[in-house]
Amino acid sequence: MKITRRALALGGTGLVAGASLARPAIAQNEPIRIGWLAALTGPSSAPGVGFNRGVQFAAEAINSAGGVKGRRIEILTRDTQGDPTKAVNATQEMISQLRVHAIWGPTNSGESLAVTAIMARAKMPNIHPCVVDTLIDERRYPNAFRITPSNTQWDDAVRGYCLRRVNARKVAVIGDTTGYGVSAVNASVAGFQRDGAEVVYKANIDATQPDMTPDMLRARNAGAQAIVIWSVSTGMIARMLNTRATMNWDVPFVGHPSLSSGEIGSLIERPANWEKVYAIGYRSCSFDAAGNLPPRTAELVQRLQGKVNLQDTLLWWVASAIDAIDLIAKAVDATGSTTNDAIIGHWNSLRNYPGYYGTYSYSPTQHNGFPVEEVVMSAANSARNGAFALAPGY
């Protein structure tokens, strides 16, 4: 059957990794094997759980619609727990033993930094939502494509909001101790300093650290007018918000999308602790002044009702997962092949592809496909069905 966009719209996140340099056309009934490197447990699991809901929904929906040219989607999941070593082991297993056709993930940049070169050596189609800039290098990693903004795009949005909307000229920049947290903090600090702002406190905190008081006191005593956060750990973020309230400090928090994760609502001591928190968001997943989502996103949310829980996760995690499966399935459908060259070649030809999460354009020399104008800031505590109201000032 020829797969339609409507059928694909019912799908979720996935990533497929080719298992060899050259692979013959697959047999008519051979499944399309998608390797899914998922951090489903551990301190960095919030995004992985949200992505996984999209993965499962996608596979079931596409298979129910007849698959891709009659071939079923098979998801091969490995829980990396946010651990780069586990991600390396899982990637090697997917390449040499499971012989997946493409890989989705990892979802944590620290893990992706450890496995990107491995996948490049195998010339495997790889699509991921990791934001560290160096993970995309079309010359070194011609197989790797980013479905989200880069960290530079995120950083620009956060810094611009702090300087122009919050009017904070002195900031504290705090991340966790993962590879992502360290690199994101360093890039953020450099950006603020380049724009003439003063970084009065910089820290990378172990996400399991139980008491955030020492770091919050240092930030306040240094005169921070905003706390910039780069971490996916909702537990760490919630402890910082609770500490802010205990200190009777109304400093705004600005930064990573995990600031708006539904898990924070269950971890903070009272709802007021979530006020003045602004997280990276996206036009596609933002309500307008009348409380409406863009038509295409509203259609997706309607289809997800009763099948995917959006109350404690982020819509963009689910929507980007759907787009990833769409991109993989479209490549197989358009080329009739699961070879590495066929999938990569199809992705390299995309121009203004209309996904649910973003509008993507790729070429052999540009594997950052997300448009910067679609990155916005959200009021973190305004979630409804995983989407958000725009932060004050838009």
Side-chain angles (χ1 to χ4, degrees):
M1 79 176 254
K2 182 174 181 63
I3 194 160
T4 65
R5 191 173 192 286
R6 180 176 178 83
L8 286 167
L10 296 175
T13 294
L15 184 63
V16 186
S20 63
L21 299 184
R23 185 191 299 272
I26 55 179
Q28 181 63 32
N29 295 321
E30 182 185 9
I32 300 168
R33 293 182 294 276
I34 298 175
W36 170 209
L37 294 171
L40 299 176
T41 57
S44 301
S45 62
V49 170
F51 288 129
N52 191 59
R53 292 176 187 176
V55 169
Q56 302 306 319
F57 183 81
E60 180 181 349
I62 291 178
N63 289 338
S64 295
V68 181
K69 293 187 180 298
R71 300 181 177 97
R72 292 178 58 80
I73 298 291
E74 181 180 356
I75 305 297
L76 300 171
T77 305
R78 293 294 180 269
D79 181 7
T80 64
Q81 300 179 327
D83 184 336
T85 299
K86 289 183 171 62
V88 167
N89 293 337
T91 298
Q92 292 172 332
E93 178 192 12
M94 288 176 178
I95 291 170
S96 62
Q97 298 177 39
L98 301 179
R99 297 181 63 82
V100 297
H101 297 109
I103 293 177
W104 160 245
T107 61
N108 176 290
S109 290
E111 296 173 73
S112 197
L113 288 165
V115 303
T116 295
I118 296 172
M119 287 190 270
R121 287 193 292 271
K123 297 185 179 179
M124 292 188 174
N126 174 226
I127 194 164
H128 65 72
C130 302
V131 300
V132 168
D133 293 270
T134 57
L135 290 171
I136 294 299
D137 184 325
E138 295 80 9
R139 183 183 59 83
R140 297 176 61 197
Y141 314 129
N143 61 303
F145 294 74
R146 195 190 326 260
I147 200 169
T148 58
S150 68
N151 200 72
T152 294
Q153 291 173 295
W154 272 9
D155 194 45
D156 289 348
V158 168
R159 187 173 66 258
Y161 193 77
C162 285
L163 298 179
R164 292 188 287 275
R165 309 289 187 179
V166 178
N167 295 318
R169 306 301 302 184
K170 295 182 177 182
V171 299
V173 182
I174 298 174
D176 56 37
T177 55
T178 64
Y180 166 71
V182 172
S183 62
V185 164
N186 289 337
S188 184
V189 167
F192 275 108
Q193 292 174 338
R194 187 173 58 248
D195 283 357
E198 183 180 357
V199 178
V200 296
Y201 184 63
K202 170 188 173 183
N204 287 95
I205 303 172
D206 188 323
T208 63
Q209 179 176 310
D211 186 4
M212 298 295 165
T213 304
D215 289 280
M216 291 294 287
L217 283 173
R218 293 186 190 106
R220 186 177 67 178
N221 293 340
Q225 298 167 325
I227 305 291
V228 176
I229 297 294
W230 297 108
S231 175
V232 301
S233 173
T234 53
M236 170 180 153
I237 291 169
R239 290 192 294 276
M240 293 183 72
L241 294 176
N242 289 333
T243 301
R244 179 185 66 167
T246 300
M247 294 168 60
N248 289 317
W249 192 21
D250 67 349
V251 65
F253 274 55
V254 185
H256 194 278
S258 287
L259 286 166
S260 58
S261 172
E263 289 186 356
I264 290 179
S266 64
L267 296 173
I268 55 174
E269 294 169 352
R270 56 194 181 104
N273 293 4
W274 213 357
E275 296 290 339
K276 295 187 72 172
V277 180
Y278 310 117
I280 294 164
Y282 307 98
R283 290 283 181 189
S284 62
C285 299
S286 298
F287 297 108
D288 62 19
N292 298 318
L293 291 169
R296 188 163 67 246
T297 312
E299 177 191 18
L300 173 62
V301 170
Q302 182 63 36
R303 291 175 176 176
L304 294 173
Q305 292 299 314
K307 298 179 180 179
V308 173
N309 180 16
L310 296 175
Q311 301 306 310
D312 62 350
T313 192
L314 304 183
L315 177 58
W316 80 264
W317 287 337
V318 177
S320 63
I322 292 172
D323 288 348
I325 278 290
D326 191 340
L327 289 168
I328 294 165
K330 282 285 189 182
V332 176
D333 185 62
T335 64
S337 173
T338 53
T339 64
N340 304 331
D341 288 344
I343 294 173
I344 293 169
H346 179 77
W347 290 347
N348 276 330
S349 71
L350 295 177
R351 304 291 182 273
N352 297 317
Y353 178 83
Y356 286 102
Y357 167 54
T359 303
Y360 313 104
S361 295
Y362 298 110
S363 74
T365 58
Q366 179 55 269
H367 288 182
N368 285 304
F370 197 92
V372 65
E373 62 270 15
E374 294 184 18
V375 184
V376 297
M377 299 302 296
S378 303
N381 64 348
S382 64
R384 177 160 55 91
N385 287 327
F388 299 86
L390 292 170
Y394 284 96

